[in-house]
Amino acid sequence: MKRLTSLPAEDGFYMPGEFEPHDGCIMIWPKRPGSWPFDAREARKAFVKIAEAIADSEHVIMLAEAETIDSAREMLSDRIEVVLMESDDAWARDTGPTFVRNDYGQVRGVDWQFNAWGGEYDGLYADWKKDELLAARFLDAYGYETYDARHFVLEGGSIHSDGQGTILVTERCLLSPGRNPSLTKKEIEEQLKLYLGGKKIIWLPYGIYQDETNEHVDNVCAFVRPGEVVLAWTDDERDPQYEMSLADLKVLEEETDARGKHFIVHKLPIPKMPVCIKPEELCGFTFEPGEDTREPGERLAASYVNFYLSNGGVIVPQFGDENDSMALKILGDCFPERKIYPIFARDIIVGGGNIHCITQQIPKGDVHEKGNSCSGSDEMLPGHQ
């Protein structure tokens, strides 16, 4: 892997919008007993449905550890490339690389520092060594030139780009003491601009209530296309999310994007009934020392904004809630050119995230240095060199 000493913005690279064409999608086969109850039995079924829906229109690479790779190969179709690679958990959005491209079709990777959503301050588990190495291992295995951003803590779920210089983030996450406490807000902005090619950072105050990632933006607001977003919403003034989304809406109504255009905002309802941990689910978890635990009745950060855009589809979480169909209608209207794939996602949200959190798109590129072919390999892929 070639680790570059220059910066993406200086080289003309930027983070494209997720609605732009992809070369593929990275996922990680679930296994962590503190995230996925009962040996990830139901979670794996949900992962299969999501991977196969994405595979209808783009390549899917499923990373799996040695003890689970046979399970992945047995449950997934031959359309999915299953690759041996170590990880601590299955959140590909946050532990995988962020990809940037230039106007000539070159694609490169950004390797951020990962500290389990807060490190020693409020991280969700005590040992994240394998997750911290995953982005570099993937970029090395597939031959992508890499920008080293390991001085800066960032997860992929904490950023959204319109591909034209506008980056969405939340203050609750990026200003968390567990991320980059020595940096000012202005200095954090500068890092985002340098490594994502951003020209303007939009700071939303909040994410989704009870989101244990310190409120990632990908759970509350996402670009439909440049200048147009969906925002998680509730009209229930008794719900804590009401004031949070109201504050986010105020920012979006007052701000403009990097081109000076005002935002079109589509209000996307959250589930009408809070999605909470059930006692029968709780008994299926096995938590390690230092790992964040769950409580009976704990409210989970369920949101329909946590969808994945494939080349031909919108893979949308469903919760068995009366607002499920409304979310599908709104997203169908936002993406008339794409097929809507409703996926029952309760077995993912119990892990703490959802469909967008377990996926990481690889933007379409005409040029990158091709690495080793990893399909079907039983050799552990290399880590940092």
Side-chain angles (χ1 to χ4, degrees):
M1 172 181 60
K2 181 178 179 182
R3 297 185 76 83
L4 302 162
T5 56
S6 55
L7 294 166
E10 295 173 348
D11 294 341
F13 282 76
Y14 56 90
M15 182 181 179
E18 294 182 24
F19 43 79
E20 297 181 53
H22 301 170
D23 264 345
C25 174
I26 307 168
M27 297 180 68
I28 305 171
W29 196 240
K31 68 172 182 60
R32 189 179 183 89
S35 296
W36 314 105
F38 302 107
D39 298 320
R41 183 180 63 235
E42 298 304 317
R44 289 175 182 175
K45 294 176 185 176
F47 272 59
V48 168
K49 291 178 181 177
I50 292 161
E52 298 293 350
I54 296 170
D56 282 349
S57 61
E58 67 189 53
H59 183 56
V60 178
I61 303 168
M62 184 70 72
L63 310 180
E65 292 213 297
E67 65 267 32
T68 62
I69 196 165
D70 287 343
S71 164
R73 287 175 174 155
E74 289 169 5
M75 295 183 67
L76 294 161
S77 75
D78 292 340
R79 301 190 302 171
I80 313 299
E81 180 182 3
V82 180
V83 175
L84 189 65
M85 191 175 293
E86 289 187 327
S87 63
D88 292 299
D89 209 342
W91 308 111
R93 177 66 49 179
D94 294 342
T95 60
T98 296
F99 291 92
V100 292
R101 61 165 289 153
N102 65 12
D103 290 335
Y104 302 101
Q106 290 178 295
V107 175
R108 293 173 176 173
V110 180
D111 179 17
W112 312 101
Q113 182 185 158
F114 176 76
N115 70 353
W117 308 277
E120 295 182 2
Y121 179 78
D122 61 353
L124 298 183
Y125 42 81
D127 184 0
W128 56 86
K129 291 185 182 69
K130 291 188 287 187
D131 275 352
E132 190 175 10
L133 296 174
L134 186 136
R137 283 175 168 162
F138 184 90
L139 293 169
D140 187 24
Y142 283 86
Y144 286 94
E145 294 183 323
T146 300
Y147 291 104
D148 188 347
R150 291 178 56 77
H151 63 284
F152 188 72
V153 177
L154 192 81
E155 306 97 38
S158 68
I159 50 176
H160 253 303
S161 172
D162 70 347
Q164 297 185 356
T166 311
I167 307 296
L168 287 173
V169 300
T170 69
E171 293 179 348
R172 287 296 290 266
C173 180
L174 266 65
L175 301 183
S176 160
R179 298 309 196 283
N180 300 286
S182 65
L183 300 183
T184 65
K185 185 176 181 180
K186 184 176 180 180
E187 289 170 333
I188 291 171
E189 277 203 13
E190 185 62 20
Q191 291 296 303
L192 297 175
K193 290 176 179 178
L194 289 174
Y195 284 91
L196 300 177
K199 304 198 182 322
K200 184 170 186 179
I201 313 301
I202 305 296
W203 292 84
L204 301 181
Y206 301 104
I208 291 291
Y209 177 66
Q210 291 280 79
D211 187 338
E212 59 196 13
T213 65
N214 300 111
E215 302 176 21
H216 274 179
V217 75
D218 73 342
N219 216 19
V220 73
C221 191
F223 283 107
V224 172
R225 55 189 57 86
E228 193 169 343
V229 299
V230 288
L231 175 69
W233 189 260
T234 179
D235 290 319
D236 184 356
E237 297 183 14
R238 300 166 298 175
D239 192 312
Q241 189 62 45
Y242 177 79
E243 294 293 340
M244 295 166 71
S245 292
L246 203 62
D248 289 342
L249 179 63
K250 186 173 186 292
V251 170
L252 291 168
E253 289 178 337
E254 293 176 350
E255 282 279 9
T256 57
D257 66 13
R259 302 168 302 156
K261 299 290 184 66
H262 288 280
F263 291 100
I264 298 171
V265 181
H266 303 277
K267 294 177 180 176
L268 191 60
I270 61 173
K272 185 165 185 178
M273 295 297 295
V275 178
C276 302
I277 285 286
K278 299 175 182 178
E280 58 266 32
E281 292 168 329
L282 189 63
C283 68
F285 291 100
T286 303
F287 300 106
E288 297 176 356
E291 185 172 10
D292 190 52
T293 59
R294 302 226 176 278
E295 303 294 336
E298 175 185 338
R299 177 167 169 172
L300 300 169
S303 166
Y304 301 105
V305 174
N306 209 288
F307 56 83
Y308 180 79
L309 289 177
S310 66
N311 283 334
V314 189
I315 295 80
V316 185
Q318 300 279 271
F319 304 102
D321 186 86
E322 66 178 83
N323 282 346
D324 283 3
S325 57
M326 186 184 302
L328 296 178
K329 172 66 166 60
I330 292 170
L331 289 172
D333 290 344
C334 288
F335 299 102
E337 73 287 1
R338 285 177 161 92
K339 178 181 177 179
I340 302 296
Y341 292 84
I343 305 284
F344 183 69
R346 181 182 180 88
D347 297 310
I348 303 172
I349 193 64
V350 297
N354 222 297
I355 292 173
H356 192 258
C357 304
I358 64 170
T359 51
Q360 175 61 272
Q361 74 279 352
I362 305 171
K364 183 72 174 175
D366 299 322
V367 182
H368 99 265
E369 292 180 10
K370 294 296 183 183
N372 301 322
S373 175
C374 304
S375 180
S377 172
D378 283 326
E379 295 297 323
M380 185 59 66
L381 295 173
H384 281 296
Q385 300 297 312

